[in-house]
Amino acid sequence: MKNQEVALLLNKISALLELKGENRFKVIAYAEAARRIENLPTPIENLYREGKLSEIPGVGQSIAEKIKEYLETGKSSYLEELGKEIPEELIELEQVPGVGPKVALLLYKELGVRTLDDLEKALSAHKVRNLPRLGPKSEENILRGLETIKRRSSRIPLGLALPVAEELVLYLKQFPFVERVDACGSLRRMKETIGDLDVLVASNDEEKAMQAFTRWPEVQEVLAFGSTKSSVLTKSALQIDLRVVRPESYGAALQYFTGSQAHNIKLREIAIRKGFKLNEYGVFRIEDDKKIAGATEEEVYAALDLPWIPPELREDQGEIEKAKLGELPHLVELKDIKGDLHVHTDWSDGTSTIEGMVRGAKKRGYEYLAICDHAQSLGVAGGLTWEKFQEQKLKIEEVSQKENFPILWGLEANILADGDLDFPEEILREFQIVVAGVHSAFRQTRGKMTERIVHALKSGVIHILSHPTGRLIGKRDPYEVEVEKILEVARESNTAMEINSSPERLDLKDRDCRKAKEEYGLKMVINTDAHSEENLDLMKYGVAVARRGWLEPGDVLNTYPWKQLLEWLKGKRERMP
Ligand SMILES: [Zn+2]
Ligand SMILES: [Zn+2]
């Protein structure tokens, strides 16, 4: 599947156009097309073969042409053309917080700065402050931005790594000499960002397994080839390390390479106390070096008198102690989810119809769905007026009846800068479900932002606080907010916290989910915030966050059967002031 690659290409074009100072709409069009393609569930090659490229929303004739050329030749003459005017390296430079396209171009033209290294040197020589329109303050900002980006770029977002890993696993599974294959490391623990992408194979023919790996069509470059470990760089610029072990050691290796390090150190201590040695080959009795376990993970844990521990919990956050006591949580699973309570449609900025979203929900085995489009005040294209919402209500009822499928008529309200919502309370009470979140004025002080959200929650009309901290992983830090205070007021006002499944949000994050449950007794809702039918598939990311937050089905409102969910929603209303 070349979707990530094509998205990368279009993003590059968009960034170069922006640097060049091209028409804003053109810049956005390329970025938007990239975003759509990144989220496509079908391989773009298939759409190309069927002549359906321009049916992708956001992909017009001219962009389709560029995709076509790239898929046919592996290159883009348009990108090469642009690259002659503006070096591609400036794209990275421009992304440093505090730089942006104008300053990047200035740095390049005035100081010859092309790379992050160049920038670092220019900064330490205090050359940046003397550029036109810049000064010591901007220099300081850029320096801070550079530090941030260095911190970020070392880790890969889960949403980027998981699809690639899943595809590689599928590819390797087809070979008869591959007995088992799993992604391990932080990916298997479903951390929000991944350090190294590690994949493990069980095989009795290492050579063949390695050859199959390095010949994977997505491989751009083989960085290292060995009989037990090889590394490649994919066309989507990810490094993947593959290890091959014998089937009799697979469980031990999988356990070892899944980590976390802290979890494994504790396990090794337990092993030693029992007179065992634990490593990537198995569990061995120290006195005679006899192997006791190793083929499966269950066997490895059992040798240490522990039940198998789900990878998402392996962070040494108390899971080993709980496992000893037989008190591990029964973590929520994707199959427990009975509906999505925050999706958009083409009535506001989504791309699918109400019918389309319902079809998608049914296909995923859901029992209900909540349509929560934006209101007009948000300023997104097509935000709805109260009149439009009333019209939508009728449409929703009609579809619900026709499809014999419960749909909640809701909205995603905007928490305005002063904590008011974008409709008066009497109107918001008309909706069956109110999701609300912060979508603007992110840069308030900690006190102001906290007060703003507290004020909104205290209105009593909000069922679910969407994406509670506003972060975009690797792009925007969470806004300054006192999370504990929000959780406390959520408890008082009986508001559920959203776990937004969009891989760039994953908000609330795992640690805060656990806190919300254990310290505040809150309920959570795992939503996709899908703007298209396909994006309903993002639910698995939110479920992963919930699992890392130790949540059980009972903690998650959208595992409730329809009737019980309705009762919760109404109960919230009755407790309103
Ligand atoms: Zn939102
Ligand atoms: Zn939304």
PDB file of all heavy atoms in Angstrom, residues 6 35 45 64 83 131 176 196 213 220 225 230 233 239 243-244 258 293 314 343 373 394 421 466 473 477 491 554:
ATOM      1  N   VAL A   6       2.486   8.372  -0.967  1.00  0.00           N
ATOM      2  CA  VAL A   6       1.856   9.409  -1.788  1.00  0.00           C
ATOM      3  C   VAL A   6       1.521  10.617  -0.922  1.00  0.00           C
ATOM      4  O   VAL A   6       1.717  11.765  -1.333  1.00  0.00           O
ATOM      5  CB  VAL A   6       0.597   8.845  -2.491  1.00  0.00           C
ATOM      6  CG1 VAL A   6      -0.185   9.955  -3.163  1.00  0.00           C
ATOM      7  CG2 VAL A   6       0.996   7.787  -3.506  1.00  0.00           C
ATOM      8  N   ARG A  35      -3.844  14.460   3.520  1.00  0.00           N
ATOM      9  CA  ARG A  35      -4.531  13.986   4.726  1.00  0.00           C
ATOM     10  C   ARG A  35      -5.571  12.920   4.371  1.00  0.00           C
ATOM     11  O   ARG A  35      -5.681  11.878   5.007  1.00  0.00           O
ATOM     12  CB  ARG A  35      -5.200  15.163   5.424  1.00  0.00           C
ATOM     13  CG  ARG A  35      -5.626  14.886   6.848  1.00  0.00           C
ATOM     14  CD  ARG A  35      -6.236  16.128   7.496  1.00  0.00           C
ATOM     15  NE  ARG A  35      -7.494  16.521   6.878  1.00  0.00           N
ATOM     16  CZ  ARG A  35      -8.673  15.988   7.183  1.00  0.00           C
ATOM     17  NH1 ARG A  35      -8.757  15.042   8.109  1.00  0.00           N
ATOM     18  NH2 ARG A  35      -9.771  16.394   6.575  1.00  0.00           N
ATOM     19  N   GLU A  45      -3.051   2.408  -4.977  1.00  0.00           N
ATOM     20  CA  GLU A  45      -2.747   1.756  -6.256  1.00  0.00           C
ATOM     21  C   GLU A  45      -4.010   1.165  -6.882  1.00  0.00           C
ATOM     22  O   GLU A  45      -4.207   1.211  -8.094  1.00  0.00           O
ATOM     23  CB  GLU A  45      -1.775   0.590  -6.106  1.00  0.00           C
ATOM     24  CG  GLU A  45      -0.525   0.722  -5.334  1.00  0.00           C
ATOM     25  CD  GLU A  45      -0.637   0.692  -3.835  1.00  0.00           C
ATOM     26  OE1 GLU A  45      -1.264   1.619  -3.274  1.00  0.00           O
ATOM     27  OE2 GLU A  45      -0.075  -0.196  -3.200  1.00  0.00           O
ATOM     28  N   ALA A  64      -4.509  14.486  -9.149  1.00  0.00           N
ATOM     29  CA  ALA A  64      -4.601  13.099  -9.627  1.00  0.00           C
ATOM     30  C   ALA A  64      -3.483  12.801 -10.633  1.00  0.00           C
ATOM     31  O   ALA A  64      -2.861  11.736 -10.599  1.00  0.00           O
ATOM     32  CB  ALA A  64      -5.976  12.849 -10.248  1.00  0.00           C
ATOM     33  N   GLY A  83      11.769  21.697  -6.414  1.00  0.00           N
ATOM     34  CA  GLY A  83      13.003  21.522  -5.662  1.00  0.00           C
ATOM     35  C   GLY A  83      14.156  22.341  -6.233  1.00  0.00           C
ATOM     36  O   GLY A  83      15.100  22.681  -5.519  1.00  0.00           O
ATOM     37  N   LEU A 131      18.907  39.494  11.487  1.00  0.00           N
ATOM     38  CA  LEU A 131      18.151  39.470  10.233  1.00  0.00           C
ATOM     39  C   LEU A 131      16.998  40.466  10.306  1.00  0.00           C
ATOM     40  O   LEU A 131      16.495  40.761  11.384  1.00  0.00           O
ATOM     41  CB  LEU A 131      17.606  38.055   9.988  1.00  0.00           C
ATOM     42  CG  LEU A 131      18.661  36.992   9.675  1.00  0.00           C
ATOM     43  CD1 LEU A 131      17.991  35.639   9.527  1.00  0.00           C
ATOM     44  CD2 LEU A 131      19.419  37.353   8.418  1.00  0.00           C
ATOM     45  N   PRO A 176       5.674 -19.992   3.919  1.00  0.00           N
ATOM     46  CA  PRO A 176       5.543 -21.218   4.721  1.00  0.00           C
ATOM     47  C   PRO A 176       6.639 -21.349   5.778  1.00  0.00           C
ATOM     48  O   PRO A 176       6.402 -21.941   6.834  1.00  0.00           O
ATOM     49  CB  PRO A 176       5.652 -22.341   3.681  1.00  0.00           C
ATOM     50  CG  PRO A 176       6.236 -21.711   2.461  1.00  0.00           C
ATOM     51  CD  PRO A 176       5.851 -20.278   2.492  1.00  0.00           C
ATOM     52  N   ASP A 196      11.823   2.414  18.257  1.00  0.00           N
ATOM     53  CA  ASP A 196      12.253   1.605  17.115  1.00  0.00           C
ATOM     54  C   ASP A 196      11.124   0.692  16.718  1.00  0.00           C
ATOM     55  O   ASP A 196      10.386   0.222  17.561  1.00  0.00           O
ATOM     56  CB  ASP A 196      13.448   0.727  17.498  1.00  0.00           C
ATOM     57  CG  ASP A 196      14.655   1.570  17.831  1.00  0.00           C
ATOM     58  OD1 ASP A 196      15.054   2.357  16.968  1.00  0.00           O
ATOM     59  OD2 ASP A 196      15.158   1.442  18.965  1.00  0.00           O
ATOM     60  N   PHE A 213      12.163 -10.721   4.035  1.00  0.00           N
ATOM     61  CA  PHE A 213      12.014  -9.399   4.659  1.00  0.00           C
ATOM     62  C   PHE A 213      12.644  -8.299   3.807  1.00  0.00           C
ATOM     63  O   PHE A 213      12.009  -7.292   3.482  1.00  0.00           O
ATOM     64  CB  PHE A 213      12.644  -9.431   6.054  1.00  0.00           C
ATOM     65  CG  PHE A 213      12.781  -8.093   6.721  1.00  0.00           C
ATOM     66  CD1 PHE A 213      11.685  -7.260   6.905  1.00  0.00           C
ATOM     67  CD2 PHE A 213      14.021  -7.667   7.199  1.00  0.00           C
ATOM     68  CE1 PHE A 213      11.815  -6.026   7.542  1.00  0.00           C
ATOM     69  CE2 PHE A 213      14.163  -6.431   7.837  1.00  0.00           C
ATOM     70  CZ  PHE A 213      13.055  -5.614   7.998  1.00  0.00           C
ATOM     71  N   GLN A 220      13.006   0.414   0.817  1.00  0.00           N
ATOM     72  CA  GLN A 220      13.719   1.366  -0.027  1.00  0.00           C
ATOM     73  C   GLN A 220      15.206   1.050  -0.023  1.00  0.00           C
ATOM     74  O   GLN A 220      15.879   1.128  -1.028  1.00  0.00           O
ATOM     75  CB  GLN A 220      13.483   2.760   0.535  1.00  0.00           C
ATOM     76  CG  GLN A 220      14.466   3.802   0.090  1.00  0.00           C
ATOM     77  CD  GLN A 220      13.726   4.952  -0.550  1.00  0.00           C
ATOM     78  OE1 GLN A 220      12.567   4.822  -0.942  1.00  0.00           O
ATOM     79  NE2 GLN A 220      14.370   6.070  -0.655  1.00  0.00           N
ATOM     80  N   PHE A 225      22.238  -6.494   6.808  1.00  0.00           N
ATOM     81  CA  PHE A 225      21.701  -7.826   6.553  1.00  0.00           C
ATOM     82  C   PHE A 225      22.484  -8.831   7.383  1.00  0.00           C
ATOM     83  O   PHE A 225      23.699  -8.927   7.282  1.00  0.00           O
ATOM     84  CB  PHE A 225      21.814  -8.173   5.065  1.00  0.00           C
ATOM     85  CG  PHE A 225      21.117  -9.459   4.715  1.00  0.00           C
ATOM     86  CD1 PHE A 225      19.819  -9.433   4.201  1.00  0.00           C
ATOM     87  CD2 PHE A 225      21.737 -10.686   4.909  1.00  0.00           C
ATOM     88  CE1 PHE A 225      19.153 -10.614   3.887  1.00  0.00           C
ATOM     89  CE2 PHE A 225      21.077 -11.870   4.600  1.00  0.00           C
ATOM     90  CZ  PHE A 225      19.780 -11.840   4.092  1.00  0.00           C
ATOM     91  N   SER A 230      18.250  -7.998  10.772  1.00  0.00           N
ATOM     92  CA  SER A 230      18.452  -7.135   9.607  1.00  0.00           C
ATOM     93  C   SER A 230      17.664  -5.849   9.802  1.00  0.00           C
ATOM     94  O   SER A 230      16.694  -5.833  10.550  1.00  0.00           O
ATOM     95  CB  SER A 230      17.969  -7.819   8.328  1.00  0.00           C
ATOM     96  OG  SER A 230      18.761  -8.947   8.053  1.00  0.00           O
ATOM     97  N   LEU A 233      15.134   0.432   5.561  1.00  0.00           N
ATOM     98  CA  LEU A 233      14.445   1.709   5.543  1.00  0.00           C
ATOM     99  C   LEU A 233      13.306   1.571   4.533  1.00  0.00           C
ATOM    100  O   LEU A 233      13.534   1.137   3.412  1.00  0.00           O
ATOM    101  CB  LEU A 233      15.413   2.804   5.098  1.00  0.00           C
ATOM    102  CG  LEU A 233      14.994   4.226   5.385  1.00  0.00           C
ATOM    103  CD1 LEU A 233      14.964   4.476   6.883  1.00  0.00           C
ATOM    104  CD2 LEU A 233      15.965   5.193   4.721  1.00  0.00           C
ATOM    105  N   GLN A 239      12.479   3.162   9.765  1.00  0.00           N
ATOM    106  CA  GLN A 239      13.448   2.081   9.903  1.00  0.00           C
ATOM    107  C   GLN A 239      12.791   0.912  10.615  1.00  0.00           C
ATOM    108  O   GLN A 239      12.129   1.080  11.643  1.00  0.00           O
ATOM    109  CB  GLN A 239      14.665   2.538  10.701  1.00  0.00           C
ATOM    110  CG  GLN A 239      15.722   1.432  10.735  1.00  0.00           C
ATOM    111  CD  GLN A 239      16.965   1.814  11.506  1.00  0.00           C
ATOM    112  OE1 GLN A 239      17.356   2.973  11.541  1.00  0.00           O
ATOM    113  NE2 GLN A 239      17.582   0.814  12.132  1.00  0.00           N
ATOM    114  N   ARG A 243      14.089  -9.449  13.609  1.00  0.00           N
ATOM    115  CA  ARG A 243      14.879 -10.508  14.222  1.00  0.00           C
ATOM    116  C   ARG A 243      14.217 -11.831  13.928  1.00  0.00           C
ATOM    117  O   ARG A 243      12.984 -11.924  13.931  1.00  0.00           O
ATOM    118  CB  ARG A 243      14.945 -10.320  15.739  1.00  0.00           C
ATOM    119  CG  ARG A 243      15.849  -9.187  16.164  1.00  0.00           C
ATOM    120  CD  ARG A 243      15.963  -9.144  17.671  1.00  0.00           C
ATOM    121  NE  ARG A 243      16.909  -8.105  18.052  1.00  0.00           N
ATOM    122  CZ  ARG A 243      16.615  -6.813  18.112  1.00  0.00           C
ATOM    123  NH1 ARG A 243      15.392  -6.399  17.813  1.00  0.00           N
ATOM    124  NH2 ARG A 243      17.529  -5.927  18.465  1.00  0.00           N
ATOM    125  N   VAL A 244      15.029 -12.848  13.699  1.00  0.00           N
ATOM    126  CA  VAL A 244      14.487 -14.186  13.485  1.00  0.00           C
ATOM    127  C   VAL A 244      14.993 -15.083  14.599  1.00  0.00           C
ATOM    128  O   VAL A 244      16.194 -15.092  14.910  1.00  0.00           O
ATOM    129  CB  VAL A 244      14.913 -14.755  12.123  1.00  0.00           C
ATOM    130  CG1 VAL A 244      14.281 -16.125  11.907  1.00  0.00           C
ATOM    131  CG2 VAL A 244      14.507 -13.817  10.995  1.00  0.00           C
ATOM    132  N   THR A 258       9.383  -7.128  23.603  1.00  0.00           N
ATOM    133  CA  THR A 258       8.216  -6.275  23.795  1.00  0.00           C
ATOM    134  C   THR A 258       8.475  -5.247  24.888  1.00  0.00           C
ATOM    135  O   THR A 258       7.980  -4.130  24.845  1.00  0.00           O
ATOM    136  CB  THR A 258       6.972  -7.120  24.121  1.00  0.00           C
ATOM    137  OG1 THR A 258       6.687  -7.946  22.991  1.00  0.00           O
ATOM    138  CG2 THR A 258       5.761  -6.261  24.420  1.00  0.00           C
ATOM    139  N   ALA A 293      11.137 -22.954  30.034  1.00  0.00           N
ATOM    140  CA  ALA A 293      10.068 -22.344  29.245  1.00  0.00           C
ATOM    141  C   ALA A 293      10.685 -21.493  28.148  1.00  0.00           C
ATOM    142  O   ALA A 293      11.856 -21.121  28.225  1.00  0.00           O
ATOM    143  CB  ALA A 293       9.177 -21.472  30.135  1.00  0.00           C
ATOM    144  N   ARG A 314       2.527  -3.486  30.298  1.00  0.00           N
ATOM    145  CA  ARG A 314       3.903  -3.809  30.708  1.00  0.00           C
ATOM    146  C   ARG A 314       4.786  -2.578  30.822  1.00  0.00           C
ATOM    147  O   ARG A 314       5.704  -2.364  30.044  1.00  0.00           O
ATOM    148  CB  ARG A 314       4.518  -4.817  29.719  1.00  0.00           C
ATOM    149  CG  ARG A 314       3.731  -6.119  29.672  1.00  0.00           C
ATOM    150  CD  ARG A 314       4.402  -7.112  28.741  1.00  0.00           C
ATOM    151  NE  ARG A 314       3.498  -8.204  28.384  1.00  0.00           N
ATOM    152  CZ  ARG A 314       3.747  -9.087  27.439  1.00  0.00           C
ATOM    153  NH1 ARG A 314       4.875  -9.022  26.754  1.00  0.00           N
ATOM    154  NH2 ARG A 314       2.882 -10.042  27.183  1.00  0.00           N
ATOM    155  N   VAL A 343     -19.170  11.569  15.855  1.00  0.00           N
ATOM    156  CA  VAL A 343     -18.760  11.531  14.446  1.00  0.00           C
ATOM    157  C   VAL A 343     -19.382  12.727  13.726  1.00  0.00           C
ATOM    158  O   VAL A 343     -20.382  13.283  14.165  1.00  0.00           O
ATOM    159  CB  VAL A 343     -19.189  10.228  13.727  1.00  0.00           C
ATOM    160  CG1 VAL A 343     -18.699   9.004  14.478  1.00  0.00           C
ATOM    161  CG2 VAL A 343     -20.695  10.171  13.512  1.00  0.00           C
ATOM    162  N   ASP A 373     -22.290  16.988  14.728  1.00  0.00           N
ATOM    163  CA  ASP A 373     -21.653  17.947  13.824  1.00  0.00           C
ATOM    164  C   ASP A 373     -21.338  19.261  14.547  1.00  0.00           C
ATOM    165  O   ASP A 373     -21.847  19.521  15.619  1.00  0.00           O
ATOM    166  CB  ASP A 373     -22.549  18.171  12.601  1.00  0.00           C
ATOM    167  CG  ASP A 373     -22.266  17.143  11.513  1.00  0.00           C
ATOM    168  OD1 ASP A 373     -21.060  16.924  11.242  1.00  0.00           O
ATOM    169  OD2 ASP A 373     -23.206  16.556  10.964  1.00  0.00           O
ATOM    170  N   LEU A 394     -34.631  15.923  11.835  1.00  0.00           N
ATOM    171  CA  LEU A 394     -35.657  15.198  11.089  1.00  0.00           C
ATOM    172  C   LEU A 394     -35.023  14.140  10.197  1.00  0.00           C
ATOM    173  O   LEU A 394     -35.492  13.010  10.108  1.00  0.00           O
ATOM    174  CB  LEU A 394     -36.484  16.168  10.243  1.00  0.00           C
ATOM    175  CG  LEU A 394     -37.250  17.231  11.043  1.00  0.00           C
ATOM    176  CD1 LEU A 394     -37.979  18.183  10.108  1.00  0.00           C
ATOM    177  CD2 LEU A 394     -38.227  16.565  12.026  1.00  0.00           C
ATOM    178  N   LEU A 421     -20.752  28.415  25.859  1.00  0.00           N
ATOM    179  CA  LEU A 421     -20.869  27.500  24.730  1.00  0.00           C
ATOM    180  C   LEU A 421     -21.518  28.241  23.564  1.00  0.00           C
ATOM    181  O   LEU A 421     -22.065  29.315  23.745  1.00  0.00           O
ATOM    182  CB  LEU A 421     -21.702  26.287  25.151  1.00  0.00           C
ATOM    183  CG  LEU A 421     -21.028  25.503  26.280  1.00  0.00           C
ATOM    184  CD1 LEU A 421     -22.013  24.586  26.974  1.00  0.00           C
ATOM    185  CD2 LEU A 421     -19.843  24.716  25.741  1.00  0.00           C
ATOM    186  N   SER A 466     -14.852  16.658  24.781  1.00  0.00           N
ATOM    187  CA  SER A 466     -14.072  16.060  23.682  1.00  0.00           C
ATOM    188  C   SER A 466     -12.613  16.497  23.752  1.00  0.00           C
ATOM    189  O   SER A 466     -12.303  17.578  24.230  1.00  0.00           O
ATOM    190  CB  SER A 466     -14.689  16.423  22.322  1.00  0.00           C
ATOM    191  OG  SER A 466     -14.787  17.812  22.137  1.00  0.00           O
ATOM    192  N   ILE A 473      -0.246  15.202  18.622  1.00  0.00           N
ATOM    193  CA  ILE A 473       1.048  14.587  18.917  1.00  0.00           C
ATOM    194  C   ILE A 473       2.096  14.996  17.882  1.00  0.00           C
ATOM    195  O   ILE A 473       1.903  14.824  16.688  1.00  0.00           O
ATOM    196  CB  ILE A 473       0.905  13.050  18.972  1.00  0.00           C
ATOM    197  CG1 ILE A 473      -0.022  12.679  20.130  1.00  0.00           C
ATOM    198  CG2 ILE A 473       2.252  12.368  19.129  1.00  0.00           C
ATOM    199  CD1 ILE A 473      -0.420  11.218  20.173  1.00  0.00           C
ATOM    200  N   ASP A 477       1.519  20.970  21.441  1.00  0.00           N
ATOM    201  CA  ASP A 477       1.500  20.493  22.821  1.00  0.00           C
ATOM    202  C   ASP A 477       0.099  20.685  23.380  1.00  0.00           C
ATOM    203  O   ASP A 477      -0.671  21.485  22.877  1.00  0.00           O
ATOM    204  CB  ASP A 477       2.503  21.286  23.658  1.00  0.00           C
ATOM    205  CG  ASP A 477       3.938  20.857  23.363  1.00  0.00           C
ATOM    206  OD1 ASP A 477       4.127  19.697  22.933  1.00  0.00           O
ATOM    207  OD2 ASP A 477       4.860  21.669  23.543  1.00  0.00           O
ATOM    208  N   ARG A 491     -16.337  15.149  37.700  1.00  0.00           N
ATOM    209  CA  ARG A 491     -17.005  14.251  38.650  1.00  0.00           C
ATOM    210  C   ARG A 491     -18.244  14.935  39.241  1.00  0.00           C
ATOM    211  O   ARG A 491     -19.322  14.365  39.265  1.00  0.00           O
ATOM    212  CB  ARG A 491     -16.042  13.847  39.779  1.00  0.00           C
ATOM    213  CG  ARG A 491     -16.719  12.966  40.820  1.00  0.00           C
ATOM    214  CD  ARG A 491     -15.750  12.438  41.842  1.00  0.00           C
ATOM    215  NE  ARG A 491     -15.015  13.533  42.473  1.00  0.00           N
ATOM    216  CZ  ARG A 491     -13.915  13.349  43.214  1.00  0.00           C
ATOM    217  NH1 ARG A 491     -13.426  12.133  43.376  1.00  0.00           N
ATOM    218  NH2 ARG A 491     -13.311  14.368  43.771  1.00  0.00           N
ATOM    219  N   GLY A 554     -16.657  -1.720  31.854  1.00  0.00           N
ATOM    220  CA  GLY A 554     -17.578  -0.944  32.676  1.00  0.00           C
ATOM    221  C   GLY A 554     -17.194   0.522  32.838  1.00  0.00           C
ATOM    222  O   GLY A 554     -18.018   1.348  33.229  1.00  0.00           O
TER     223      GLY A 554
END
